[in-house]
């Protein structure tokens, strides 16, 4: 069984309005220049075209995290990469090397801690609190790794694959 709604399924007016309203992003900052940088979340069509009702909470969290990470990386210089700090946990900070989700409600983060140890954090979407942090690159010679752009590209590929699937495969 899929999460897709069928045309003969009964929906409430609230659900229809919610589908039309999502996704949206809004932010206000004391510094107008900072506001312009942080409010410029470009929402790709592949994210905007599927209604909320067609996505699990995990998928929604995953897609929105990608948009925030990509926007955060756009503001970094070539000496920094993005890392995550997790609030309310002993996990500390990890350099982001991957993100995934497991429907309906789990988001997974892969990365390394400041000492180079491998980490995987598995978190329920209801407990999700993430702090994006700029951290120095590992070595000055290497180009910074931009995971947000790779994650956004994966969203595009996933949407293309879904478009090519037959109705029985979706």
């Amino acid at each position: 069984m899929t999460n897709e709604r069928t045309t003969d399924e009964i929906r409430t007016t609230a659900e229809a309005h919610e589908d039309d309203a999502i996704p949206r992003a809004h932010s206000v900052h004391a510094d107008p220049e900072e506001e312009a940088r942080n409010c410029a979340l470009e929402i790709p069509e592949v994210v905007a075209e599927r209604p909320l009702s067609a996505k699990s909470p995990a998928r929604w969290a995953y897609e929105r995290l990608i948009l925030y990470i990509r926007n955060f990386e756009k503001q970094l210089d070539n000496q920094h990469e993005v890392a995550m700090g997790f609030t309310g946990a002993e996990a500390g900070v990890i350099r982001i090397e991957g993100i995934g989700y497991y429907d309906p409600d789990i988001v997974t983060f892969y990365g390394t801690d400041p000492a180079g140890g491998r980490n995987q954090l598995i978190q329920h979407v209801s407990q999700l609190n993430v702090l994006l942090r700029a951290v120095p690159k590992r070595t000055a010679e290497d180009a910074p790794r931009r995971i947000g752009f790779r994650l956004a590209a994966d969203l595009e590929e996933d949407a293309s694959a879904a478009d090519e699937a037959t109705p029985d495969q979706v």
Side-chain angles (χ1 to χ4, degrees), residues 56-68:
S56 69
R59 176 73 186 224
W60 263 113
Y62 172 79
E63 289 181 0
R64 287 178 288 169
L65 281 166
I66 289 171
L67 299 177
Y68 278 110

Side-chain angles (χ1 to χ4, degrees), residues 65 83-94 109 121-133:
L65 281 166
M84 287 183 168
F86 296 92
T87 61
E90 299 296 321
V93 175
I94 65 171
F109 302 93
L121 176 68
I122 302 162
Q123 195 161 35
H124 189 272
V125 294
S126 67
Q127 300 297 313
L128 189 60
N129 289 298
V130 175
L131 168 73
L132 298 179
R133 180 177 288 180

